[in-house]
Amino acid sequence: MHGIDVAARLAAMAQRAREQGIDGVLLTPGPDLRYAIGYDAIPLERLTCLVVRASGECLLVVPRLELLAAQASPAGNVALEIRTWDEGDDPYALVASLLPATAKVALDNHMWAEKVLHLREAMPGVTQSLAGPVIASLRMRKDEAERAALVAAGAAIDSVHELVPQFLRAGRTEREVGADISDAILQAGHEVVDFVIVASGPNSASPHHEVSDRVLTEGDAVVVDIGGTMPSGYCSDSTRTYAIGDPGEEFLAAYAVLQRAQEEAVRSARAGVTCASIDAAARDLLVSAGLGELFIHRTGHGIGLETHEEPYIVAGNDLVVEPGMAFSIEPGFYLEGRFGARIEDIVIATDDGVIVANTRPHDLVVIA
Ligand code: ZN
Ligand code: ZN
């Protein structure tokens, strides 16, 4: 993504580290590294590691053969020192030499265990902790460019849902429909297809069912939950529920409650309320309609460079929503052996409400 202010992000990270008594933050390839310096490095066995020191001095340690790739990323445009290591060198000793022997070091939550243990060996006097508390609070608050990237991702996945009714036909399998959807996700501008859920009939009662060889049948509810990653690095994630013919009175009555619950939760979301209160806004309606037992997951998750990240919209999370926080609102109901449904939009909090990144209608789409 263009417009990453690498120097500002590194300075903010160093400040968080100081506030938390951490001497250095070590990031390896993954979403945290991409967030920090815009470098979308491939996770490999050779160590690439950004060292963010609490003093504010930062260094990127890379294998020599990755130097050109690192320089081509936004990290190459700022005064970030890049230190290369050659085949045969010990990169862990190099990282250890950059920090005090008894430092408190926060490690990327996504770091491979192999690297965590090599670092522990190279720095026996160091205290290791997770970097999540340093970085999540920064990544949660999306800046203008990130908000625009999420809105663009939302528009792209909406354009795929617009095509879904023409893929869904009685007699086709979930897998065939899923293949068409995967093609459409790429066609819509995503760089990667992250997941395709086509859950039909009884399969719709399993929230994370993907696809199977089940043949779509008259009367099926079909939950279609799809997402991908845009070239910006930002993810889409949206669910709509479809029906092949008439899904029956019981389903339709529950779906009507679900639709109100989802819309009520979106209405309740804004800066200043807690994550728990947004979950409750959706859950209370389902509970009072006798569907509470069937709503078996949290209402939502944060989204950005990862499909699932903080903040989580769940009971007990008293985190107060701030402007720029982006998350899904996706209540559902799941009746084992029978049917299920879910409606999911991504929203971005503002002071007086939310920007809704997904704008497809919520009504059940009945395929004649
Ligand atoms: Zn989803
Ligand atoms: Zn989701």
Side-chain angles (χ1 to χ4, degrees):
M1 189 175 65
H2 298 288
I4 297 179
D5 187 343
V6 173
R9 286 190 179 175
L10 292 176
M13 232 169 253
Q15 191 195 330
R16 290 291 150 117
R18 283 196 301 278
E19 288 165 4
Q20 297 180 21
I22 287 162
D23 300 297
V25 181
L26 304 183
L27 303 183
T28 44
D32 286 337
L33 182 70
R34 188 165 188 177
Y35 175 80
I37 59 174
Y39 181 26
D40 182 22
I42 302 161
L44 293 169
E45 75 289 2
R46 292 188 182 92
L47 183 71
T48 289
C49 185
L50 175 69
V51 181
V52 180
R53 287 186 283 206
S55 63
E57 293 167 277
C58 302
L59 265 141
L60 180 63
V61 172
V62 300
R64 182 172 302 283
L65 76 167
E66 305 289 349
L67 177 62
L68 290 177
Q71 284 172 333
S73 77
N77 300 327
V78 289
L80 173 66
E81 188 185 333
I82 301 182
R83 193 79 64 87
T84 58
W85 58 274
D86 289 299
E87 303 284 25
D89 289 351
D90 179 355
Y92 299 96
L94 171 55
V95 169
S97 74
L98 301 171
L99 292 160
T102 57
K104 287 199 164 70
V105 176
L107 306 181
D108 194 325
N109 287 35
H110 315 80
M111 190 183 287
W112 291 4
E114 184 185 22
K115 298 189 164 73
V116 174
L117 296 180
H118 277 311
L119 285 168
R120 176 169 288 176
E121 245 173 74
M123 300 189 278
V126 150
T127 311
Q128 294 180 334
S129 63
L130 289 174
V134 179
I135 295 174
S137 59
L138 298 171
R139 277 185 51 192
M140 264 193 282
R141 298 184 191 86
K142 271 66 182 179
D143 64 24
E144 280 304 324
E146 293 179 285
R147 295 175 205 187
L150 283 167
V151 168
I157 208 69
D158 282 359
S159 75
V160 179
H161 270 297
E162 198 175 342
L163 298 173
V164 166
Q166 69 193 54
F167 301 148
L168 291 174
R169 287 286 171 272
R172 301 194 79 201
T173 66
E174 292 175 354
R175 201 178 303 283
E176 287 165 346
V177 173
D180 288 342
I181 290 174
S182 290
D183 290 345
I185 288 174
L186 296 176
Q187 212 59 45
H190 296 86
E191 198 169 67
V192 181
V193 178
D194 290 325
F195 57 91
V196 174
I197 295 174
V198 181
S200 67
N203 291 342
S204 59
S206 168
H208 280 168
H209 175 80
E210 292 202 327
V211 294
S212 75
D213 291 319
R214 185 180 182 278
V215 175
L216 304 188
T217 309
E218 194 68 18
D220 280 354
V222 187
V223 173
V224 176
D225 185 354
I226 51 180
T229 304
M230 299 290 280
S232 63
Y234 285 78
C235 299
S236 65
D237 180 7
S238 176
T239 311
R240 290 293 183 268
T241 299
Y242 301 81
I244 313 282
D246 181 7
E249 279 307 312
E250 200 183 345
F251 177 88
L252 291 172
Y255 189 86
V257 178
L258 176 66
Q259 189 171 340
R260 277 199 292 132
Q262 199 274 348
E263 288 166 4
E264 189 52 41
V266 171
R267 252 194 304 279
S268 78
R270 69 194 63 244
V273 306
T274 65
C275 292
S277 75
I278 301 170
D279 180 79
R283 200 167 301 276
D284 289 352
L285 266 170
L286 286 156
V287 167
S288 58
L291 297 167
E293 294 289 306
L294 305 186
F295 180 19
I296 55 176
H297 56 71
R298 64 191 176 211
T299 291
H301 53 83
I303 188 167
L305 290 167
E306 290 174 281
T307 308
H308 287 191
E309 57 181 50
E310 294 193 54
Y312 293 100
I313 308 303
V314 62
N317 186 359
D318 293 326
L319 179 77
V320 174
V321 172
E322 294 180 39
M325 286 188 181
F327 46 87
S328 71
I329 295 185
E330 51 175 310
F333 61 81
Y334 309 93
L335 184 57
E336 210 185 319
R338 300 276 316 280
F339 52 63
R342 181 163 66 255
I343 302 169
E344 175 181 26
D345 291 325
I346 302 304
V347 302
I348 304 163
T350 66
D351 280 318
D352 51 5
V354 289
I355 298 160
V356 183
N358 301 106
T359 57
R360 296 289 303 157
H362 294 151
D363 293 343
L364 182 72
V365 181
V366 178
I367 318 268

